[in-house]
Amino acid sequence: MCGRYALALRPSEVRHQLEQLHMPVNEAPDDEGVRQTYNFAPGYHGLVYRADEAHNGTQYKLQAMRWGLIPFWTKRNPDYGSMIKTINCRDDSLYEDRGMWTSMKKRKRCIVVAQGFYEWLKKNNGKEKIPHFTKRKDGQMMCFAGLWDCVQYEADSEEKIFTYTIITTDSNKQLHFLHDRMPVILENGTEAITTWLDPNRTEWSMDLQSLLKPFEGELECYPVTKDVGKVGNNSPSFLIPINSAANKNNIANFFGNQRNASKTKKDEALLGGVEQDSQKGLKTEHDDNETRETTNRVEGSEDNAPLPVPALLPSSTGHDSRGVKRERSEEEDGNTADGSPSKTPAKKGKTRSAVSNGSAARGSPAKGDGSRKITSFFGK
């Protein structure tokens, strides 16, 4: 799953980096029009890279969109709890040519730009959750495969709301210890991105489906401060390993500064020196315009995403059928991503989340359209 990521670059910086990677940008928003944050949460407006077919050929552009896809056929603005369920889209939910993603996967594919993403490692049977940050080892931006859509609630309204979702797949070997899912990361400046964005490909094909796979490049993953667990917190220290010498909040550095100061200052001056030194470090900033909430507002994103319909690939493709494993929702686990107990009591009985694939995992066919549960949130 992917419920939080980092994008602290201005659109002009992103545009420059994309062009350096031979990914042209014909249009981009102003720097003031998109949020730059080390703690990017659902509902924020991020940068999406997509392509349109024009009279003078394919035009590529960066566009500001809101994270949490709202289908075009939605009649009214969904609440936060409904929107949060579509921040991720499972790759295996795209096999069948039906469901809520059908129109998006054919004509509305995009790239979601990020510097890296966060995931919480569960320890002590889920009682403790440690945030980890994952980025490309070469320091380049990450290009997540995504889908987008545009909705107008009133036919005569000029307001158009653009939203997007990030596609996830099985974790690669490097990240399997952390979570069994990860965002689909396409290699920068390659034919894979050109194929994914091609506006002339208006039918879903195995060429497109085959792009949705675990990342094969080198990644760097390490634990970071738990301050990232609060929505609205923002600091460059979120990208620094918690045990790094560069992390001013590291306890080893704290006592190291104490020892150095004690050589030249008395005890009373020492306390002032430590306090002064600590203020030179990277601080966590709190956005006054944001409600500071724990990660229980962004957890369970993919776990509540539309139910994928199990299907066998045609034998001519050479692919084997893919079983879909049942994933427990955060509500079932009873904990949030930052390790605190969930405010929502664990469900009992046969109740399960929208992606609880119990029947699919046992090999029995799903009944009806797998997207029916999620579409009910938007169709009212």
Side-chain angles (χ1 to χ4, degrees):
M1 63 176 296
C2 180
R4 204 79 66 78
Y5 65 88
L7 183 62
L9 301 174
R10 297 189 300 271
S12 58
E13 295 176 301
V14 173
R15 180 176 191 168
H16 176 72
Q17 290 194 32
L18 289 177
E19 291 174 341
Q20 291 293 312
L21 295 167
H22 307 290
M23 298 168 65
V25 180
N26 302 107
E27 181 183 335
D30 295 334
D31 285 350
E32 294 75 22
V34 180
R35 180 190 297 265
Q36 295 100 49
T37 177
Y38 297 94
N39 192 8
F40 200 94
Y44 290 2
H45 282 75
L47 278 179
V48 167
Y49 182 64
R50 67 184 185 91
D52 286 327
E53 188 61 32
H55 65 277
N56 55 345
T58 302
Q59 298 290 300
Y60 296 90
K61 67 178 181 178
L62 281 172
Q63 184 173 349
M65 296 188 188
R66 193 169 75 188
W67 189 16
L69 190 141
I70 303 174
F72 70 93
W73 36 260
T74 306
K75 301 300 183 184
R76 60 175 182 170
N77 190 21
D79 60 23
Y80 190 89
S82 301
M83 182 270 294
I84 200 73
K85 294 175 174 61
T86 55
I87 65 172
N88 289 161
C89 165
R90 294 180 59 105
D91 61 332
D92 48 15
S93 68
L94 302 178
Y95 277 100
E96 288 283 316
D97 195 23
R98 59 177 176 172
M100 73 168 289
W101 309 116
T102 302
S103 64
M104 298 83 156
K105 72 181 183 181
K106 292 180 178 181
R107 296 178 180 271
K108 299 174 182 177
R109 301 179 299 273
C110 65
I111 295 294
V112 180
V113 181
Q115 291 172 275
F117 65 94
Y118 299 97
E119 187 57 76
W120 278 255
L121 175 65
K122 298 179 182 179
K123 300 186 69 176
N124 301 325
N125 295 322
K127 295 180 180 179
E128 182 182 7
K129 298 184 180 181
I130 303 173
H132 283 61
F133 183 68
T134 301
K135 64 178 183 179
R136 290 179 60 114
K137 196 168 186 178
D138 58 14
Q140 293 183 12
M141 292 186 306
M142 280 185 171
C143 289
F144 300 147
L147 303 174
W148 66 275
D149 209 345
C150 177
V151 62
Q152 285 180 281
Y153 298 126
E154 302 293 338
D156 56 349
S157 173
E158 295 182 358
E159 182 183 13
K160 295 182 178 180
I161 300 175
F162 290 85
T163 58
Y164 65 92
T165 186
I166 295 173
I167 300 175
T168 63
T169 187
D170 297 331
S171 283
N172 59 16
K173 293 180 179 180
Q174 188 175 356
L175 298 185
H176 190 69
F177 81 97
L178 185 61
H179 200 279
D180 59 357
R181 305 288 295 178
M182 69 179 292
V184 173
I185 305 170
L186 299 181
E187 189 58 62
N188 300 341
T190 62
E191 187 66 27
I193 287 184
T194 303
T195 299
W196 179 252
L197 296 180
D198 188 354
N200 294 311
R201 290 177 178 264
T202 58
E203 291 298 328
W204 191 249
S205 65
M206 282 308 304
D207 287 342
L208 295 171
Q209 186 75 49
S210 65
L211 297 176
L212 308 180
K213 60 184 179 180
F215 187 61
E216 297 175 354
E218 290 189 86
L219 299 172
E220 191 174 351
C221 179
Y222 47 82
V224 294
T225 175
K226 291 185 178 180
D227 287 341
V228 74
K230 295 283 186 179
V231 174
N233 283 1
N234 184 29
S235 171
S237 65
F238 294 172
L239 307 190
I240 300 176
I242 195 66
N243 58 354
S244 169
N247 194 325
K248 301 298 182 180
N249 297 320
N250 184 278
I251 191 168
N253 286 287
F254 175 81
F255 288 110
N257 290 338
Q258 268 195 336
R259 287 193 297 271
N260 292 335
S262 66
K263 295 178 182 179
T264 57
K265 298 181 180 180
K266 295 181 180 181
D267 290 344
E268 290 147 354
L270 172 61
L271 290 175
V274 171
E275 189 173 323
Q276 184 178 5
D277 284 345
S278 66
Q279 303 214 353
K280 295 178 182 178
L282 298 171
K283 297 182 180 179
T284 299
E285 299 178 358
H286 308 297
D287 191 340
D288 294 335
N289 296 322
E290 291 292 334
T291 301
R292 295 181 61 211
E293 300 170 0
T294 57
T295 50
N296 64 342
R297 287 294 298 275
V298 299
E299 270 293 307
S301 56
E302 186 186 271
D303 293 340
N304 290 311
L307 178 67
V309 180
L312 296 177
L313 291 175
S315 58
S316 60
T317 64
H319 291 263
D320 294 327
S321 61
R322 296 182 58 176
V324 180
K325 296 186 292 183
R326 182 183 187 276
E327 298 180 1
R328 293 179 62 85
S329 69
E330 292 299 329
E331 291 181 349
E332 289 175 307
D333 288 338
N335 291 279
T336 61
D338 60 354
S340 60
S342 173
K343 296 181 181 179
T344 305
K347 297 182 180 180
K348 299 180 181 180
K350 297 183 180 180
T351 305
R352 58 190 180 91
S353 70
V355 296
S356 297
N357 302 322
S359 61
R362 292 191 296 271
S364 60
K367 296 181 179 180
D369 188 341
S371 299
R372 184 166 49 196
K373 293 188 178 182
I374 191 68
T375 55
S376 65
F377 283 109
F378 299 101
K380 297 179 180 178

